[in-house]
Structure formats: C-alpha cells, structure tokens
Amino acid sequence: MATATPRPDDFLARLEAAIAATGLVARGRLAVPAEDGLPPLPDGRPARTLFLVGRASRQGWSAFAASPESRDRRPDPLDRWSVRVIGELADRFGAAALYPFAGPPWWPFQRWAMRAEPVFLSPLGLLVHPVHGLWHAWRGALAFAEDLGETSPAPTAVSPCTACTARPCLTTCPVDAFSAAGYDVARCVAHLESPLGALCRTDGCRARDACPIGCGRRYADEEIRFLMRAFRAARSKDTR
Ligand code: B12
Ligand code: SF4
Ligand code: SF4
C-alpha cells in the first residue's frame, strides 16, 4: 500500500499548532527568491518559503516567563529561549532557523514581514499592525525547501498611520529622539540613563505608548520593564 504524502494544508496546520504550543505566534509566510540570499537548508536544498514566528500583543511572553532561560541569570535570556524553541521547531519540521537578533549583518525581518502580513513602516521605524499597533515583534523564521504558499497582505491594505493626523508618536518623546532624520539612539539612551529618564525606564518608550492603535494590547508592565532593561544593557544590539 502506498504511503500517503501529507497535503500542504495538513503540514501547515501541524506547524501552526506546534508554533502555538510554544506560546509564540505564526506571523505569515512568504516566498523567498534566490536574491533574498538565504543560506541553503542543512541538506543542501535551497530555501523557498519563509515562515515568520513572533509575538503579538501579550502572546509570546508567558511561555518565556515560565522558561528556565528567564531565571538562569545569564545574558540574553529571551534570545536564548527563542533559539531553543524555534530551533526545536526547525529540527522537527525539516527547516532552517533564522533569527532577527543574529547580526550584524541583520536579516531583513521588517522587509520580510511586510511581504507576509499587513504591517507598515511607522514614523518610529517600528512596523505598525492594524490590530496590534506597535505591540508585536519577531522572534525567528523557519526556512523551508518546499513551496508552502504565501500570506501576502491584500494590495488594498492601508497603514493606520495614513488616517492618523495627530501623529502623537512623534511628539511624545521628552527629548525628541524621532525626527525626519530617523531615530536618534544616542539621544534616547542619554535620556534613559539620566535621572529624568525614570518614566521611560519603568513604563517604557513614551513614543511607542502614545500610538492609539492597539493600545489595549500593550505588553504587560513586567514585560515592558524586562525589554527596557534588555535594551539598556544591549544599547547597540537590539533583540526585541
Ligand atoms: C539594529 C536594530 C535596532 C537598533 C537601531 C534601530 C534604529 N532605528 O536605528 C537599536 C538597538 C537602537 C534598536 C532599538 C529598538 N528596537 Co530594534 N532592531 C534592530 C534590528 C536588529 C535590525 C534593524 C536594521 O538595521 N534593519 C535593516 C535591514 C537589515 O532590515 P530591513 O527589514 O530591510 O529594513 C527596514 C528597517 O530598517 C526599516 N527601518 C528601521 N528603522 C527605521 C527608521 C525609520 C525612521 C524608517 C523610515 C525606517 C526604518 O526600514 C527598512 C525597510 O523596510 C531589527 C531586527 C531585524 N533583524 O530587522 C530590530 C527591530 C527593528 N527592533 C525592534 C524593536 C521592538 C526595537 C525597540 C522598541 C526595542 C525594545 N526595547 O523593545 C527599540 C526602539 C526602536 C525604535 N524606536 O526605533 C523590532 C521592531 C518590531 C516592529 N514592530 O517593527 C525589530 C524588528 C526586532 C524584532 N525582534 O522584532 N533596534
Ligand atoms: S501614532 Fe499614528 S502615526 Fe504614529 S505609529 Fe501610531 S498610527 Fe502611526
Ligand atoms: S525610550 Fe524615552 S527617550 Fe527613548 S525614544 Fe522612547 S520616549 Fe524617547
């Protein structure tokens, strides 16, 4: 009797269920042509589909918070947890894992994300999502040799920033770290490390908080403080 080949739908359903079981969120998939420069899979086949994995709103935090990495007091616990759980998914499903924090050079996660989901470049440089606002990020990607299809956003999808005339994200930073020239990291960090930076240290980035889109989906306070501590510790190495 011939062995049934799994249908792509079955495979995707199993993969998405396995991602959900880690506490992370499936964040769409895209076709990757050769010019994207992905490395070949461990068996030498070229990558054809990239499956993005991340977090959205509060999903993705509690599984990490319960992990051994979150308590072992070694550096970069969230990155190490991500490598463990996404690496296990890669082994189990025959994929290669890529991470947003592995660099420089950095994999272009934001560019990939815009091909897989309706997310748009905001004036802060963070991508804004129509539902999650600025409260979402990526923890890794699984590269497959198979063609698993794409989840491209509708061509008519529009950025929430288009209708946002007040743009409070650009006027809330106490030291105007955001301008047409981009994000002035040195200015932000100088404020964060000064006595006047207490609110940003405890409550997180004021500019990110000011966005009205998805404001009810803001990360939990404990997570905000963790991310801010990690940001201050890393300075030039972002992982969130
Ligand atoms: C280097 C880096 C930083 C640096 C410098 C960021 C900067 N603006 O100069 C530092 C350490 C300061 C930093 C800080 C933070 N970062 Co950062 N960072 C990165 C990293 C590792 C690489 C970014 C990069 O150089 N991309 C260049 C190329 C390789 O990527 P690309 O997709 O082709 O390029 C697009 C972006 O660069 C984008 N872009 C990025 N910044 C800006 C700024 C402006 C003004 C514009 C117009 C465009 C723009 O435009 C490109 C085309 O689409 C990415 C992860 C990744 N691998 O992408 C995270 C990433 C961008 N950071 C992220 C986050 C959340 C933060 C923080 C809020 C961290 C925190 N504490 O939680 C802060 C604040 C950032 C801010 N307000 O802009 C998230 C953003 C999630 C999202 N919703 O978009 C990412 C994607 C990481 C992740 N794990 O998801 N970060
Ligand atoms: S405050 Fe307005 S312009 Fe800024 S990110 Fe949010 S929707 Fe976009
Ligand atoms: S953390 Fe504070 S100082 Fe830095 S960009 Fe955000 S609001 Fe400005």
Side-chain angles (χ1 to χ4, degrees), residues 100 107-108 110-111 114 124 127 136-138 178 235 238 240:
W107 288 115
Q110 291 182 303
R111 218 174 331 135
M114 287 189 274
L124 299 185
L127 298 185
H136 63 102
W138 290 269
F178 298 100
R235 300 283 180 86
D238 177 67
R240 278 2 93 197

Side-chain angles (χ1 to χ4, degrees), residues 185-202:
V185 181
R187 208 175 167 105
C188 164
V189 169
H191 179 71
L192 275 175
E193 301 308 328
S194 78
L196 293 174
L199 192 59
C200 293
R201 289 197 295 272
T202 56

Side-chain angles (χ1 to χ4, degrees), residues 9-235:
D9 285 358
D10 297 337
F11 182 79
L12 286 175
R14 282 194 293 117
L15 177 60
E16 284 175 356
I19 291 171
T22 67
L24 288 167
V25 180
R27 300 288 313 260
R29 41 186 207 280
L30 60 148
V32 277
E35 54 267 30
D36 276 2
L38 263 63
L41 272 70
D43 64 8
R45 289 181 299 161
R48 288 182 70 190
T49 309
L50 206 52
F51 203 115
L52 302 181
V53 180
R55 44 216 306 264
S57 307
R58 294 189 178 191
Q59 275 180 283
W61 170 254
S62 55
F64 163 69
S67 71
E69 287 86 352
S70 76
R71 291 187 299 270
D72 67 13
R73 296 182 174 274
R74 292 172 47 221
D76 303 326
L78 183 57
D79 294 352
R80 288 186 289 109
W81 174 75
S82 305
V83 168
R84 176 167 64 79
V85 300
I86 296 172
E88 283 170 6
L89 288 171
D91 291 345
R92 187 168 148 200
F93 287 91
L98 304 169
Y99 300 100
F101 43 82
W106 313 107
W107 288 115
F109 266 77
Q110 291 182 303
R111 218 174 331 135
W112 287 339
M114 287 189 274
R115 282 155 55 187
E117 263 195 296
V119 287
F120 307 88
L121 199 54
S122 77
L124 299 185
L126 301 175
L127 298 185
V128 63
H129 184 282
V131 173
H132 305 296
L134 301 175
W135 302 108
H136 63 102
W138 290 269
R139 297 309 312 160
L142 297 167
F144 291 92
E146 294 79 17
D147 177 359
L148 297 176
E150 298 190 84
T151 55
S152 323
T156 50
V158 174
S159 168
C161 301
T162 311
C164 178
T165 45
R167 305 214 148 192
C169 61
L170 284 178
T171 51
T172 316
C173 170
V175 290
D176 286 331
F178 298 100
S179 70
Y183 171 36
D184 189 336
V185 181
R187 208 175 167 105
C188 164
V189 169
H191 179 71
L192 275 175
E193 301 308 328
S194 78
L196 293 174
L199 192 59
C200 293
R201 289 197 295 272
T202 56
D203 290 16
C205 177
R206 306 294 71 222
R208 195 180 191 182
D209 236 8
C211 176
I213 309 299
C215 55
R217 293 170 175 265
R218 181 183 188 272
Y219 297 161
D221 291 345
E222 174 201 4
E223 182 177 2
I224 296 263
R225 283 193 286 275
F226 169 89
L227 294 175
M228 191 50 89
R229 275 199 306 276
F231 174 60
R232 291 172 64 210
R235 300 283 180 86

